[in-house]
Amino acid sequence: QVQLVESGGGLVQAGGSLRLSCAASGRTFSNYDMGYFRQAPGKEREFVASISWSGGNTYYADSVKGRFTISRDNAKNTVYLRMNSLKPEDTAVYYCAAGPWGVAYPKRANEYDYWGQGTQVTVSS
């Protein structure tokens, strides 16, 4: 089992920045690829970003590319999502997720076995 605890969400004005953190415990963190997904009210959960177990590969949704950066610190068992130039359409509950290293399709939610509780991000216009 892997437990994921997220933090860093909040209310920010458009154009502002936030950094989400996701702390993992349980099994060896470096054995897992990590992803962030988000879900806005009335919408399906969507992929935001992912990072491979080593940090060597990252993927982003087109809607966040150039504005968001995912990173990880395996020594601290933590993955981060730095969000810059936030827009009102970024408002959602953000979830981190862990999947076994080498997930074939990192943009697919069903590739991930463990999920955090979610943290709310609200961007005001």
Side-chain angles (χ1 to χ4, degrees):
Q1 290 284 343
V2 175
Q3 292 78 43
L4 302 173
V5 178
E6 300 163 14
S7 60
L11 173 64
V12 64
Q13 288 187 334
S17 298
L18 283 174
R19 189 181 77 160
L20 305 184
S21 299
C22 175
S25 61
R27 297 188 175 177
T28 304
F29 180 67
S30 58
N31 286 347
Y32 291 86
D33 290 356
M34 300 296 295
Y36 267 99
F37 291 76
R38 66 186 182 188
Q39 188 166 18
K43 295 187 177 181
E44 294 187 352
R45 189 171 299 191
E46 65 174 0
F47 170 78
V48 176
S50 67
I51 187 166
S52 61
W53 64 274
S54 65
N57 292 306
T58 57
Y59 300 94
Y60 297 92
D62 288 343
S63 59
V64 308
K65 201 170 294 183
R67 300 188 297 122
F68 291 12
T69 303
I70 190 170
S71 61
R72 65 189 295 161
D73 185 337
N74 286 345
K76 294 183 177 180
N77 293 348
T78 302
V79 62
Y80 305 97
L81 184 68
R82 177 68 179 182
M83 306 184 294
N84 295 329
S85 302
L86 283 161
K87 304 175 181 180
E89 50 264 44
D90 294 318
T91 295
V93 177
Y94 284 70
Y95 299 89
C96 69
W101 66 270
V103 295
Y105 302 100
K107 297 183 180 182
R108 295 183 181 176
N110 60 9
E111 291 280 340
Y112 298 87
D113 298 324
Y114 304 101
W115 292 80
Q117 81 285 358
T119 186
Q120 176 71 45
V121 172
T122 303
V123 184
S124 63
S125 57

